[in-house]
Amino acid sequence: MQLRKKAAAVLAAATLFSGLGVLTASTASAAQPCDPTQFVNNSSAYGKLKGTYNLKYSPASECGNVASVPSGKGFYVWCYVKNYYGNKWFYGRVEGTSTYGWLSADNVAVERGSQYPC
């Protein structure tokens, strides 16, 4: 009888840990790099970077870097979102390149055009 209880406890623990593995895997997949084909360029906004900043894979400062973009470089804003902190982030392309990513709206001096949500 004791052996059955121990076996059931081990099986329950294994099921719990395997379930956590699935949860971790799905959380990790949500943080995949952005695919420019997923976003429609529905904005006419253009601006220049106020300083040297990192272009991000997702709209938050703790997300991974795509590239470092120097101060004064042009940025074509495709659209924007408000992240989970309530901060506005632009998705777009660095002028003269095919490099796409996210920049905090605070870091871009918009010179012309309108911004639209993604």
Side-chain angles (χ1 to χ4, degrees):
M1 191 71 137
Q2 289 292 352
L3 184 58
R4 284 187 183 179
K5 286 183 180 178
K6 286 183 182 178
V10 168
L11 181 59
T15 303
L16 175 64
F17 286 120
S18 67
L20 290 175
V22 170
L23 177 63
T24 304
S26 65
T27 303
S29 65
Q32 293 298 313
C34 295
D35 177 357
T37 61
Q38 293 178 344
F39 293 96
V40 176
N41 185 355
N42 61 0
S43 174
S44 60
Y46 171 83
K48 300 234 176 173
L49 271 68
K50 296 177 182 177
T52 298
Y53 299 104
N54 290 320
L55 192 64
K56 300 290 187 171
Y57 282 112
S58 295
S61 59
E62 67 269 15
C63 296
N65 298 329
V66 174
S68 179
V69 184
S71 181
K73 188 71 173 175
F75 188 73
Y76 294 102
V77 177
W78 280 34
C79 60
Y80 77 87
V81 297
K82 287 201 175 179
N83 68 7
Y84 40 83
Y85 298 115
N87 300 319
K88 189 175 183 179
W89 281 70
F90 292 143
Y91 180 79
R93 182 177 64 83
V94 178
E95 184 176 30
T97 73
S98 59
T99 304
Y100 299 85
W102 294 93
L103 282 171
S104 170
D106 293 337
N107 300 337
V108 180
V110 176
E111 295 182 353
R112 65 179 182 268
S114 299
Q115 305 129 44
Y116 298 98
C118 293

mmCIF file with all atom_site columns, all heavy atoms in Angstrom, residues 93-106:
data_model
loop_
_atom_site.group_PDB
_atom_site.id
_atom_site.type_symbol
_atom_site.label_atom_id
_atom_site.label_alt_id
_atom_site.label_comp_id
_atom_site.label_asym_id
_atom_site.label_entity_id
_atom_site.label_seq_id
_atom_site.pdbx_PDB_ins_code
_atom_site.Cartn_x
_atom_site.Cartn_y
_atom_site.Cartn_z
_atom_site.occupancy
_atom_site.B_iso_or_equiv
_atom_site.pdbx_formal_charge
_atom_site.auth_seq_id
_atom_site.auth_comp_id
_atom_site.auth_asym_id
_atom_site.auth_atom_id
_atom_site.pdbx_PDB_model_num
ATOM 1   N N   . ARG A 1 93  ? 11.505 51.154 -38.773 1.00 0.00 ? 93  ARG A N   1
ATOM 2   C CA  . ARG A 1 93  ? 12.725 50.821 -39.505 1.00 0.00 ? 93  ARG A CA  1
ATOM 3   C C   . ARG A 1 93  ? 13.728 51.962 -39.392 1.00 0.00 ? 93  ARG A C   1
ATOM 4   O O   . ARG A 1 93  ? 13.365 53.139 -39.479 1.00 0.00 ? 93  ARG A O   1
ATOM 5   C CB  . ARG A 1 93  ? 12.381 50.578 -40.973 1.00 0.00 ? 93  ARG A CB  1
ATOM 6   C CG  . ARG A 1 93  ? 13.563 50.185 -41.840 1.00 0.00 ? 93  ARG A CG  1
ATOM 7   C CD  . ARG A 1 93  ? 13.123 49.886 -43.266 1.00 0.00 ? 93  ARG A CD  1
ATOM 8   N NE  . ARG A 1 93  ? 12.582 51.040 -43.958 1.00 0.00 ? 93  ARG A NE  1
ATOM 9   C CZ  . ARG A 1 93  ? 13.312 51.970 -44.565 1.00 0.00 ? 93  ARG A CZ  1
ATOM 10  N NH1 . ARG A 1 93  ? 14.622 51.913 -44.568 1.00 0.00 ? 93  ARG A NH1 1
ATOM 11  N NH2 . ARG A 1 93  ? 12.715 52.973 -45.187 1.00 0.00 ? 93  ARG A NH2 1
ATOM 12  N N   . VAL A 1 94  ? 14.979 51.601 -39.217 1.00 0.00 ? 94  VAL A N   1
ATOM 13  C CA  . VAL A 1 94  ? 16.062 52.581 -39.177 1.00 0.00 ? 94  VAL A CA  1
ATOM 14  C C   . VAL A 1 94  ? 16.322 53.049 -40.610 1.00 0.00 ? 94  VAL A C   1
ATOM 15  O O   . VAL A 1 94  ? 16.470 52.226 -41.526 1.00 0.00 ? 94  VAL A O   1
ATOM 16  C CB  . VAL A 1 94  ? 17.340 51.975 -38.554 1.00 0.00 ? 94  VAL A CB  1
ATOM 17  C CG1 . VAL A 1 94  ? 18.487 52.986 -38.566 1.00 0.00 ? 94  VAL A CG1 1
ATOM 18  C CG2 . VAL A 1 94  ? 17.065 51.468 -37.142 1.00 0.00 ? 94  VAL A CG2 1
ATOM 19  N N   . GLU A 1 95  ? 16.366 54.350 -40.788 1.00 0.00 ? 95  GLU A N   1
ATOM 20  C CA  . GLU A 1 95  ? 16.570 54.940 -42.114 1.00 0.00 ? 95  GLU A CA  1
ATOM 21  C C   . GLU A 1 95  ? 17.851 54.410 -42.764 1.00 0.00 ? 95  GLU A C   1
ATOM 22  O O   . GLU A 1 95  ? 18.894 54.295 -42.121 1.00 0.00 ? 95  GLU A O   1
ATOM 23  C CB  . GLU A 1 95  ? 16.652 56.465 -41.982 1.00 0.00 ? 95  GLU A CB  1
ATOM 24  C CG  . GLU A 1 95  ? 16.767 57.180 -43.306 1.00 0.00 ? 95  GLU A CG  1
ATOM 25  C CD  . GLU A 1 95  ? 16.757 58.692 -43.140 1.00 0.00 ? 95  GLU A CD  1
ATOM 26  O OE1 . GLU A 1 95  ? 17.222 59.200 -42.096 1.00 0.00 ? 95  GLU A OE1 1
ATOM 27  O OE2 . GLU A 1 95  ? 16.285 59.367 -44.061 1.00 0.00 ? 95  GLU A OE2 1
ATOM 28  N N   . GLY A 1 96  ? 17.730 54.082 -44.060 1.00 0.00 ? 96  GLY A N   1
ATOM 29  C CA  . GLY A 1 96  ? 18.893 53.619 -44.822 1.00 0.00 ? 96  GLY A CA  1
ATOM 30  C C   . GLY A 1 96  ? 19.270 52.168 -44.562 1.00 0.00 ? 96  GLY A C   1
ATOM 31  O O   . GLY A 1 96  ? 20.311 51.712 -45.031 1.00 0.00 ? 96  GLY A O   1
ATOM 32  N N   . THR A 1 97  ? 18.437 51.435 -43.831 1.00 0.00 ? 97  THR A N   1
ATOM 33  C CA  . THR A 1 97  ? 18.726 50.033 -43.513 1.00 0.00 ? 97  THR A CA  1
ATOM 34  C C   . THR A 1 97  ? 17.448 49.207 -43.681 1.00 0.00 ? 97  THR A C   1
ATOM 35  O O   . THR A 1 97  ? 16.374 49.749 -43.923 1.00 0.00 ? 97  THR A O   1
ATOM 36  C CB  . THR A 1 97  ? 19.212 49.857 -42.057 1.00 0.00 ? 97  THR A CB  1
ATOM 37  O OG1 . THR A 1 97  ? 18.102 50.023 -41.172 1.00 0.00 ? 97  THR A OG1 1
ATOM 38  C CG2 . THR A 1 97  ? 20.316 50.840 -41.706 1.00 0.00 ? 97  THR A CG2 1
ATOM 39  N N   . SER A 1 98  ? 17.604 47.908 -43.498 1.00 0.00 ? 98  SER A N   1
ATOM 40  C CA  . SER A 1 98  ? 16.435 47.024 -43.412 1.00 0.00 ? 98  SER A CA  1
ATOM 41  C C   . SER A 1 98  ? 16.344 46.471 -41.996 1.00 0.00 ? 98  SER A C   1
ATOM 42  O O   . SER A 1 98  ? 15.920 45.351 -41.784 1.00 0.00 ? 98  SER A O   1
ATOM 43  C CB  . SER A 1 98  ? 16.526 45.904 -44.450 1.00 0.00 ? 98  SER A CB  1
ATOM 44  O OG  . SER A 1 98  ? 17.700 45.158 -44.247 1.00 0.00 ? 98  SER A OG  1
ATOM 45  N N   . THR A 1 99  ? 16.743 47.286 -41.018 1.00 0.00 ? 99  THR A N   1
ATOM 46  C CA  . THR A 1 99  ? 16.730 46.908 -39.610 1.00 0.00 ? 99  THR A CA  1
ATOM 47  C C   . THR A 1 99  ? 15.453 47.429 -38.965 1.00 0.00 ? 99  THR A C   1
ATOM 48  O O   . THR A 1 99  ? 15.182 48.628 -38.982 1.00 0.00 ? 99  THR A O   1
ATOM 49  C CB  . THR A 1 99  ? 17.965 47.482 -38.892 1.00 0.00 ? 99  THR A CB  1
ATOM 50  O OG1 . THR A 1 99  ? 19.136 47.038 -39.572 1.00 0.00 ? 99  THR A OG1 1
ATOM 51  C CG2 . THR A 1 99  ? 18.026 47.015 -37.453 1.00 0.00 ? 99  THR A CG2 1
ATOM 52  N N   . TYR A 1 100 ? 14.673 46.498 -38.394 1.00 0.00 ? 100 TYR A N   1
ATOM 53  C CA  . TYR A 1 100 ? 13.398 46.813 -37.765 1.00 0.00 ? 100 TYR A CA  1
ATOM 54  C C   . TYR A 1 100 ? 13.472 46.534 -36.277 1.00 0.00 ? 100 TYR A C   1
ATOM 55  O O   . TYR A 1 100 ? 14.210 45.653 -35.840 1.00 0.00 ? 100 TYR A O   1
ATOM 56  C CB  . TYR A 1 100 ? 12.284 45.944 -38.349 1.00 0.00 ? 100 TYR A CB  1
ATOM 57  C CG  . TYR A 1 100 ? 12.069 46.127 -39.825 1.00 0.00 ? 100 TYR A CG  1
ATOM 58  C CD1 . TYR A 1 100 ? 12.828 45.421 -40.745 1.00 0.00 ? 100 TYR A CD1 1
ATOM 59  C CD2 . TYR A 1 100 ? 11.099 46.997 -40.294 1.00 0.00 ? 100 TYR A CD2 1
ATOM 60  C CE1 . TYR A 1 100 ? 12.630 45.581 -42.109 1.00 0.00 ? 100 TYR A CE1 1
ATOM 61  C CE2 . TYR A 1 100 ? 10.897 47.166 -41.653 1.00 0.00 ? 100 TYR A CE2 1
ATOM 62  C CZ  . TYR A 1 100 ? 11.663 46.455 -42.555 1.00 0.00 ? 100 TYR A CZ  1
ATOM 63  O OH  . TYR A 1 100 ? 11.464 46.626 -43.899 1.00 0.00 ? 100 TYR A OH  1
ATOM 64  N N   . GLY A 1 101 ? 12.669 47.250 -35.510 1.00 0.00 ? 101 GLY A N   1
ATOM 65  C CA  . GLY A 1 101 ? 12.598 46.976 -34.083 1.00 0.00 ? 101 GLY A CA  1
ATOM 66  C C   . GLY A 1 101 ? 11.814 48.050 -33.356 1.00 0.00 ? 101 GLY A C   1
ATOM 67  O O   . GLY A 1 101 ? 11.164 48.899 -33.972 1.00 0.00 ? 101 GLY A O   1
ATOM 68  N N   . TRP A 1 102 ? 11.907 47.986 -32.034 1.00 0.00 ? 102 TRP A N   1
ATOM 69  C CA  . TRP A 1 102 ? 11.146 48.875 -31.149 1.00 0.00 ? 102 TRP A CA  1
ATOM 70  C C   . TRP A 1 102 ? 12.053 49.908 -30.494 1.00 0.00 ? 102 TRP A C   1
ATOM 71  O O   . TRP A 1 102 ? 13.152 49.580 -30.057 1.00 0.00 ? 102 TRP A O   1
ATOM 72  C CB  . TRP A 1 102 ? 10.485 48.060 -30.053 1.00 0.00 ? 102 TRP A CB  1
ATOM 73  C CG  . TRP A 1 102 ? 9.430  47.130 -30.542 1.00 0.00 ? 102 TRP A CG  1
ATOM 74  C CD1 . TRP A 1 102 ? 9.589  45.813 -30.889 1.00 0.00 ? 102 TRP A CD1 1
ATOM 75  C CD2 . TRP A 1 102 ? 8.048  47.427 -30.736 1.00 0.00 ? 102 TRP A CD2 1
ATOM 76  N NE1 . TRP A 1 102 ? 8.391  45.294 -31.283 1.00 0.00 ? 102 TRP A NE1 1
ATOM 77  C CE2 . TRP A 1 102 ? 7.421  46.257 -31.201 1.00 0.00 ? 102 TRP A CE2 1
ATOM 78  C CE3 . TRP A 1 102 ? 7.284  48.575 -30.561 1.00 0.00 ? 102 TRP A CE3 1
ATOM 79  C CZ2 . TRP A 1 102 ? 6.073  46.195 -31.484 1.00 0.00 ? 102 TRP A CZ2 1
ATOM 80  C CZ3 . TRP A 1 102 ? 5.928  48.520 -30.845 1.00 0.00 ? 102 TRP A CZ3 1
ATOM 81  C CH2 . TRP A 1 102 ? 5.333  47.339 -31.305 1.00 0.00 ? 102 TRP A CH2 1
ATOM 82  N N   . LEU A 1 103 ? 11.564 51.142 -30.411 1.00 0.00 ? 103 LEU A N   1
ATOM 83  C CA  . LEU A 1 103 ? 12.231 52.233 -29.694 1.00 0.00 ? 103 LEU A CA  1
ATOM 84  C C   . LEU A 1 103 ? 11.202 52.918 -28.809 1.00 0.00 ? 103 LEU A C   1
ATOM 85  O O   . LEU A 1 103 ? 10.053 53.115 -29.220 1.00 0.00 ? 103 LEU A O   1
ATOM 86  C CB  . LEU A 1 103 ? 12.794 53.273 -30.663 1.00 0.00 ? 103 LEU A CB  1
ATOM 87  C CG  . LEU A 1 103 ? 14.093 52.960 -31.374 1.00 0.00 ? 103 LEU A CG  1
ATOM 88  C CD1 . LEU A 1 103 ? 14.371 54.005 -32.453 1.00 0.00 ? 103 LEU A CD1 1
ATOM 89  C CD2 . LEU A 1 103 ? 15.242 52.914 -30.391 1.00 0.00 ? 103 LEU A CD2 1
ATOM 90  N N   . SER A 1 104 ? 11.625 53.325 -27.631 1.00 0.00 ? 104 SER A N   1
ATOM 91  C CA  . SER A 1 104 ? 10.740 54.110 -26.781 1.00 0.00 ? 104 SER A CA  1
ATOM 92  C C   . SER A 1 104 ? 10.418 55.418 -27.500 1.00 0.00 ? 104 SER A C   1
ATOM 93  O O   . SER A 1 104 ? 11.306 56.064 -28.077 1.00 0.00 ? 104 SER A O   1
ATOM 94  C CB  . SER A 1 104 ? 11.417 54.414 -25.449 1.00 0.00 ? 104 SER A CB  1
ATOM 95  O OG  . SER A 1 104 ? 10.671 55.356 -24.715 1.00 0.00 ? 104 SER A OG  1
ATOM 96  N N   . ALA A 1 105 ? 9.153  55.814 -27.469 1.00 0.00 ? 105 ALA A N   1
ATOM 97  C CA  . ALA A 1 105 ? 8.741  57.064 -28.104 1.00 0.00 ? 105 ALA A CA  1
ATOM 98  C C   . ALA A 1 105 ? 9.470  58.257 -27.491 1.00 0.00 ? 105 ALA A C   1
ATOM 99  O O   . ALA A 1 105 ? 9.675  59.274 -28.161 1.00 0.00 ? 105 ALA A O   1
ATOM 100 C CB  . ALA A 1 105 ? 7.232  57.240 -27.991 1.00 0.00 ? 105 ALA A CB  1
ATOM 101 N N   . ASP A 1 106 ? 9.886  58.129 -26.231 1.00 0.00 ? 106 ASP A N   1
ATOM 102 C CA  . ASP A 1 106 ? 10.630 59.211 -25.575 1.00 0.00 ? 106 ASP A CA  1
ATOM 103 C C   . ASP A 1 106 ? 11.985 59.465 -26.226 1.00 0.00 ? 106 ASP A C   1
ATOM 104 O O   . ASP A 1 106 ? 12.567 60.534 -26.057 1.00 0.00 ? 106 ASP A O   1
ATOM 105 C CB  . ASP A 1 106 ? 10.865 58.879 -24.097 1.00 0.00 ? 106 ASP A CB  1
ATOM 106 C CG  . ASP A 1 106 ? 9.575  58.848 -23.298 1.00 0.00 ? 106 ASP A CG  1
ATOM 107 O OD1 . ASP A 1 106 ? 8.576  59.474 -23.724 1.00 0.00 ? 106 ASP A OD1 1
ATOM 108 O OD2 . ASP A 1 106 ? 9.560  58.194 -22.242 1.00 0.00 ? 106 ASP A OD2 1
#
